[in-house]
Amino acid sequence: MPDLPFSERIAGLDAVALARRLIGATLLVRGAGGTIIETEAYGRDDPASHSFRGPTRRNASMFGPAGHAYVYRSYGIHLCLNVVAGPGEAVLIRALAPQTGIELMQSRRRGSPLLCSGPGRLAEALGIRIEDDGAPFDGTDFSIALPGTPPDLLVGPRIGISKAQDLPWRFGLAGVTGLSRPFPG
DNA sequence: AATAGGATCTCCT
DNA sequence: GGAGATCCTATTG
């Protein structure tokens, strides 16, 4: 049984479906990574999404092919890593359970024990660069392996947004440490 | 434990 | 000019 490419395995999923599917997946970026334990979905007609007002230079890759990266600069300082779903839709990767390349990630994080808990920390630990915007998850530099069986999910409202705060579009892996924040409830 | 300020990019009004 | 899908450090209760 040949593996289907990642882009074909997620074809047709909207951001919410992809955000749920990515929990428990293994993300590797140039030899560093781990298990995805926290994601958020951002939709096309979603006031909290960068795509809400249509394409700009920054968000162009959100309107590009599904299964590629959308990397943007946050608050002028940090980078954040997303996986593009349908047109204008993406999934923000907010936390990993580190597994591979831990020493490399520790050195990039300058000894902080919080390696990959939070989108900015995760991007720094993985060595994400702004030039990675638009890169495919095809095994060249970026790869994602989806989990065999669906894990138990935590669901809650998204973090750090001021609009559409009621949507339960944040997802987490149940029973783990390392989430960027606890889930309510 | 909680709060406040700084870093300084991209888009919007 | 101001806000934002953030994080770190310092200071206060």
Side-chain angles (χ1 to χ4, degrees):
Chain A
M1 281 278 301
D3 291 336
L4 285 177
F6 175 70
S7 61
E8 293 182 28
R9 297 197 65 183
I10 66 161
L13 298 183
D14 64 19
V16 171
L18 181 60
R20 301 181 69 106
R21 194 72 62 92
L22 289 178
I23 297 295
T26 300
L27 168 65
L28 285 176
V29 177
R30 294 181 282 265
T35 301
I36 298 174
I37 60 172
E38 185 180 339
T39 61
E40 281 178 358
Y42 287 88
R44 174 63 186 89
D45 293 307
D46 170 6
S49 172
H50 291 167
S51 61
F52 184 60
R53 295 171 196 280
T56 66
R57 179 137 72 260
R58 175 169 75 154
N59 68 20
S61 45
M62 278 189 88
F63 293 90
H68 288 232
Y70 167 45
V71 176
Y72 70 91
R73 191 170 300 279
S74 174
Y75 291 90
I77 307 290
H78 306 285
L79 296 175
C80 293
L81 173 66
N82 296 249
V83 182
V84 176
E89 305 204 353
V91 176
L92 174 66
I93 310 298
R94 291 190 56 90
L96 298 183
Q99 281 166 351
T100 304
I102 288 183
E103 289 189 1
L104 180 55
M105 293 193 281
Q106 284 172 336
S107 79
R108 286 171 176 151
R109 294 279 302 129
R110 296 175 298 282
S112 167
L114 298 174
L115 246 45
C116 297
S117 298
R121 294 170 179 142
L122 180 154
E124 181 172 54
L126 294 181
I128 300 292
R129 313 184 276 255
I130 194 63
E131 313 90 80
D132 293 324
D133 185 35
F137 287 88
D138 64 353
T140 306
D141 280 352
F142 293 71
S143 71
I144 293 179
L146 295 171
T149 59
D152 285 342
L153 298 187
L154 306 170
V155 182
R158 294 174 290 181
I159 305 279
I161 56 170
S162 59
K163 298 171 188 165
Q165 294 175 337
D166 52 315
L167 295 176
W169 283 5
R170 176 180 177 230
F171 304 97
L173 183 58
V176 300
T177 59
L179 297 172
S180 68
R181 284 213 49 194
F183 278 73

